[in-house]
Amino acid sequence: MRELSETEFHRYARHLILDEVGEEGQARLLAARVLILGAGGLGAPVSMYLAAAGVGTLVLVDDDTVDLTNLQRQIVHATESVGRAKVDSAVETLSRVNPGIRLRTHKVRLSEDNAAGLLAGCDVVVDGSDNFATRYALNDACLAAGIPLVAGALSRFEGQLTTIVPGEGRPCYRCLFPETPDPSLTPRCEEAGILGAVAGVIGTLQAVETLKLLLDLGEPLAGRLMLYDALSASMQEVRYKRRAECPSCKDSAGS
């Protein structure tokens, strides 16, 4: 186990006094590598909390630039970052949050062709994308590599979250959404709007799920979809099962 420095003992003191984390757990976090797809509404709070928690290497994947309309919810960016690449803006902020972690960036759009290379060496992947084509590609790549995937989505005053854990007959993202929903039923933020703080709620929950996976704590949201409704201040859970005919998970490495 890697020994913590004196500075790390102070920085992560509130983790160290948790019996479920302790020095060994913090060392595991510092040795971990997590890919965050998207440096936007979800990726912003995820990256902030994982950086603060001391996840040793964060890999940020995003090909977009910061727009003024992003700043209402994408808290990793600032006004002076408008026009800059999101990954560059995020790195600047995260380096201030925790200069002791490593930050890797890819200014690309994830696809079926490059997903495997981007995921190489990662312990957990967090999906903050906003379209089903990318979500399916990431799901399939994570299944093939046997890497857990924490997937979130947003719309207006609502959010959802689930965790895909390959293997042992557990379901994947295509088991939950076998076909791409009608676009009119799943409009993007620029079409339907979004209450900014809702992104913070779901992104923070994604960070919690990621830390649980890295520390092997509790029960992940595998086979469970958490639905958050900000207007009613309520959370519901929908359970889903693996589909025998699912083309993604039936032949995956962890099946």
Side-chain angles (χ1 to χ4, degrees):
M1 182 184 73
R2 166 190 179 308
E3 290 189 6
L4 304 185
S5 68
E6 183 177 351
T7 298
E8 289 170 337
F9 266 106
H10 285 286
R11 177 180 287 273
Y12 307 118
R14 299 304 183 266
H15 273 175
L16 300 181
I17 60 176
L18 290 170
D19 291 338
E20 296 84 352
V21 181
E23 188 175 351
E24 182 178 349
Q26 189 61 53
R28 289 175 65 176
L29 293 181
L30 288 165
R33 183 182 181 94
V34 173
L35 182 144
I36 302 172
L37 179 59
L42 293 173
V46 169
S47 61
M48 295 276 275
Y49 270 109
L50 294 187
V55 173
T57 303
L58 296 180
V59 181
L60 309 179
V61 180
D62 197 308
D63 68 341
D64 200 4
T65 56
V66 180
D67 186 83
L68 188 62
T69 61
N70 299 151
L71 303 183
Q72 163 252 19
R73 63 199 178 282
Q74 298 181 16
I75 58 172
V76 77
H77 309 301
T79 302
E80 56 267 26
S81 296
V82 171
R84 296 182 63 194
K86 284 187 177 180
V87 291
D88 291 341
S89 170
V91 163
E92 187 174 290
T93 301
L94 298 174
S95 296
R96 292 198 299 268
V97 171
N98 190 347
I101 64 170
R102 295 171 294 279
L103 299 165
R104 304 288 182 261
T105 63
H106 298 278
K107 298 175 188 178
V108 299
R109 180 175 292 272
L110 184 138
S111 66
E112 294 180 355
D113 296 329
N114 64 12
L118 293 171
L119 269 57
C122 291
D123 299 294
V124 178
V125 172
V126 184
D127 184 7
S129 63
D130 61 0
N131 67 88
F132 275 86
T134 302
R135 291 167 184 162
Y136 287 145
L138 189 58
N139 171 77
D140 294 352
C142 285
L143 289 177
I147 301 173
L149 169 64
V150 182
L154 305 168
S155 182
R156 292 172 52 79
F157 302 97
E158 301 174 347
Q160 59 181 239
L161 172 69
T162 192
T163 298
I164 309 303
V165 182
E168 299 183 11
R170 288 180 287 253
C172 76
Y173 196 78
R174 284 187 190 268
C175 294
L176 177 60
F177 295 106
E179 298 179 357
T180 303
D182 186 326
S184 65
L185 301 177
T186 57
R188 296 170 64 172
C189 289
E190 60 264 33
E191 302 165 328
I194 177 72
L195 186 69
V198 172
V201 172
I202 302 302
T204 299
L205 288 171
Q206 285 183 286
V208 172
E209 279 291 289
T210 301
L211 293 172
K212 284 166 53 184
L213 289 166
L214 294 174
L215 294 167
D216 194 22
L217 293 178
E219 182 181 351
L221 277 169
R224 297 183 290 151
L225 178 68
M226 178 184 290
L227 302 171
Y228 172 67
D229 185 332
L231 295 183
S232 63
S234 65
M235 286 190 178
Q236 298 181 343
E237 183 181 290
V238 176
R239 292 185 176 269
Y240 61 99
K241 297 181 178 180
R242 183 170 180 170
R243 294 189 307 114
E245 69 276 18
C246 175
S248 292
C249 64
K250 66 179 181 180
D251 297 321
S252 68
S255 60

